[in-house]
Amino acid sequence: MEKATRQWAEAPLRAGLLFLRPDAYAGRGDGMNAVFCGMLLIGLLCAAATGQAEAAQQALLCGAGEAVTLCLSLAGAYAFFGGLLEVLRESGAAQALAGAMERPLRRLFPFAPGEERALGDICMNFAANMLGMGGAATPAGLSAMKTMAGNGEGRASDAMILFLVVNTSSVQLLPTTMIALRAQAGAAHPADIVLPTLLATSVSTASGVVLCLLLAGRGGGARACPR
């Protein structure tokens, strides 16, 4: 848990380094870069072939300008929620939430021998996601996957699959990003989505967990370790 907490706390610093030193992340995500470049190239070629090159150019410029405007307008909202989440972290609320989840997660996950060492990172990842700290959840999630992958033979285990499903569906106690976007769009009550989001993500997470447990072991994945 101490290692997971330290990595989680260092997430804002790593995010800052990404902007100050892009070379620190050089060579990562080349596959997705190729996909996006391919999509852009195909779109430009189609626009040129259909005689809409000028419209495509205007759309690119307008889209870039709107993206900058949106980022600047959301800066205040993100600063507020970032400060609120930092208070939760410094007060120990996030760590308490992670600690409360440790026992049920130990029973839920079909850990293969050795994979249980990732439980601390898994708890911190889930706690950060539930509080809307997506950026802070990423380091803990990557660490958990790396730990579990080190015990496999080149294929995802049942615990890794379940972790990915729960991480993707992620119960949201505080959907800060969507609240900020609704506030920017002029919603009269931007926080009205808290309860519907909690209900929707709870159902999606429960459904994913049930399916994973029903299908566990059918693909030759790792067996659950004895408890």
Side-chain angles (χ1 to χ4, degrees), residues 33-109:
N33 288 338
V35 170
F36 285 120
C37 288
M39 292 172 60
L40 179 61
L41 181 60
I42 292 173
L44 292 175
L45 291 176
C46 290
T50 56
Q52 300 181 2
E54 184 176 353
Q57 180 181 5
Q58 292 178 353
L60 285 172
L61 296 177
C62 291
E66 291 173 359
V68 173
T69 302
L70 178 62
C71 289
L72 292 176
S73 59
L74 289 177
Y78 278 125
F80 168 74
F81 283 116
L84 176 62
L85 296 176
E86 182 67 14
V87 170
L88 293 176
R89 186 182 71 80
E90 291 292 340
S91 66
Q95 290 86 343
L97 179 59
M101 292 190 298
E102 185 169 352
R103 185 181 294 271
L105 288 180
R106 186 179 293 277
R107 294 181 175 273
L108 175 64
F109 273 78

Side-chain angles (χ1 to χ4, degrees), residues 185-202:
H189 305 285
D192 282 351
I193 62 170
V194 172
L195 180 58
T197 300
L198 176 60
L199 295 176
T201 53
S202 297

